[in-house]
Amino acid sequence: MVHSLSLQDFLLRARVLKLYRQALRIARRAPDHAQADLRQTIRQEIEKNRYCDDKQRIRFLLSEGLERVKDLDEMLDMQGH
């Protein structure tokens, strides 16, 4: 069965996937011993809300996720990674 997405759903899904890829790219800069745990945590956070269909909640989670990715990026910069 093919599930067709509305344009709005498609765009939200694209934003979530972009955030996920961005988080994984930043996680590669973490120290070797922390990378696996960090990747697992990122995946768990995405999976935890996989079946959420409330668009307002998805937008909230996206903004929260972007903030957390930005904080991780800054933290790794300060540590020189």
Side-chain angles (χ1 to χ4, degrees):
M1 180 177 153
V2 176
H3 179 73
S4 62
L5 297 173
S6 70
L7 178 60
Q8 187 178 27
D9 291 341
F10 178 80
L11 293 174
L12 276 175
R13 183 177 186 274
R15 289 177 59 197
V16 170
L17 292 174
K18 180 180 178 181
L19 174 64
Y20 180 60
R21 287 190 302 268
Q22 182 181 10
L24 290 177
R25 277 193 298 274
I26 290 171
R28 281 190 254 152
R29 293 179 24 222
D32 292 339
H33 67 278
Q35 284 185 19
D37 287 338
L38 193 51
R39 279 193 312 268
Q40 181 180 7
T41 300
I42 292 166
R43 170 125 189 175
Q44 285 173 345
E45 288 295 314
I46 295 292
E47 285 291 328
K48 182 168 61 174
N49 295 292
R50 181 179 194 161
Y51 298 105
C52 177
D53 58 359
D54 179 354
K55 290 174 185 48
Q56 186 173 359
R57 174 136 176 86
I58 294 169
R59 285 188 200 95
F60 169 77
L61 291 168
L62 275 168
S63 65
E64 190 175 276
L66 287 167
E67 189 65 34
R68 291 173 71 182
V69 166
K70 179 180 156 208
D71 291 345
L72 175 63
D73 190 33
E74 289 172 359
M75 183 188 70
L76 290 172
D77 280 347
M78 285 192 289
Q79 293 178 351
H81 294 286

